[in-house]
């Protein structure tokens, strides 16, 4: 499926990640993070991004509980996030890779990726990228506490 229908495959991989966390305890998911999010995973960069997005969407919890007491899982999650950051901002990447990367970054904090998401609102970006950045910014901004001076950015 990955070879013949990559877009369908990625959708299935994201759904699989979501299904895993809905049917297993977080402790049981950590080995998946350890094995399937490695840089040398058979899923490739885009596949790792959508798998992690599915897992995060399915858990509805911040990233930290996913890899408690498992430094290798933590390392792999951080590596996937770094790849997503690179892909999100790179106009040379396939549009679907960028959009999935932006979606994943919507699960991080403002300190981690708020400015990155805001930079994707630039008029030089493709409309799809800007729309994805707006959608991803909402949860990131919602997690941000407003400074005492009342400014948002």
């Amino acid at each position: 499926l990955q070879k013949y229908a990559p877009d369908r495959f990625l959708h299935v991989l994201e759904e699989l990640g979501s299904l895993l966390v809905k049917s297993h305890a977080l402790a049981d998911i950590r080995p998946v993070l350890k094995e399937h999010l490695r840089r040398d995973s058979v899923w490739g960069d885009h596949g790792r991004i959508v798998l992690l997005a599915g897992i995060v969407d399915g858990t509805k919890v911040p990233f930290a509980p996913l890899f408690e007491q498992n430094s290798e899982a933590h390392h792999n999650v951080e590596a996937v996030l770094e790849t997503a950051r690179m892909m999100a901002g790179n106009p040379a990447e396939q549009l679907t890779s960028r959009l999935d990367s932006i979606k994943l970054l919507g699960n991080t904090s403002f300190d981690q990726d708020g400015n990155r998401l805001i930079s994707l609102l630039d008029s030089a970006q493709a409309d799809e990228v800007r729309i994805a950045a707006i959608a991803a910014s909402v949860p990131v901004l919602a997690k941000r506490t407003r400074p005492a001076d009342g400014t948002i950015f």
Side-chain angles (χ1 to χ4, degrees):
L1 186 60
Q2 182 176 14
K3 181 178 176 183
Y4 300 107
D7 289 337
R8 286 186 184 152
F9 167 76
L10 291 171
H11 176 72
V12 169
L13 194 56
E14 184 173 10
E15 291 298 320
L16 178 63
S18 182
L19 180 63
L20 277 172
V21 296
K22 289 176 182 175
S23 61
H24 293 79
L26 279 181
D28 297 333
I29 302 303
R30 291 183 188 112
V32 173
L33 299 174
K34 182 179 171 185
E35 289 300 316
H36 293 279
L37 296 181
R38 292 188 331 247
R39 284 196 191 273
D40 63 349
S41 166
V42 298
W43 310 123
D45 287 342
H46 192 180
R48 290 168 45 235
I49 288 167
V50 297
L51 178 60
L52 181 57
I55 290 169
V56 172
D57 286 349
T59 61
K60 305 292 185 207
V61 298
F63 284 105
L66 293 174
F67 45 72
E68 282 177 348
Q69 303 171 354
N70 191 323
S71 62
E72 195 170 349
H74 180 241
H75 172 77
N76 291 345
V77 168
E78 289 299 326
V80 172
L81 289 171
E82 279 306 311
T83 300
R85 291 176 180 119
M86 183 275 307
M87 289 177 128
N90 185 351
E93 289 289 340
Q94 290 183 350
L95 183 60
T96 56
S97 297
R98 293 186 74 195
L99 298 178
D100 288 333
S101 295
I102 293 166
K103 178 183 173 186
L104 178 61
L105 296 179
N107 293 292
T108 63
S109 69
F110 185 85
D111 290 341
Q112 290 174 299
D113 293 300
N115 289 329
R116 180 174 286 102
L117 292 170
I118 291 168
S119 74
L120 296 173
L121 300 175
D122 187 271
S123 62
Q125 297 289 342
D127 289 343
E128 298 92 341
V129 168
R130 292 168 48 202
I131 291 167
I134 290 169
S137 296
V138 170
V140 170
L141 289 172
K143 290 183 246 175
R144 185 171 193 254
T145 56
R146 182 170 266 178
D149 66 3
T151 60
I152 295 176
F153 301 107

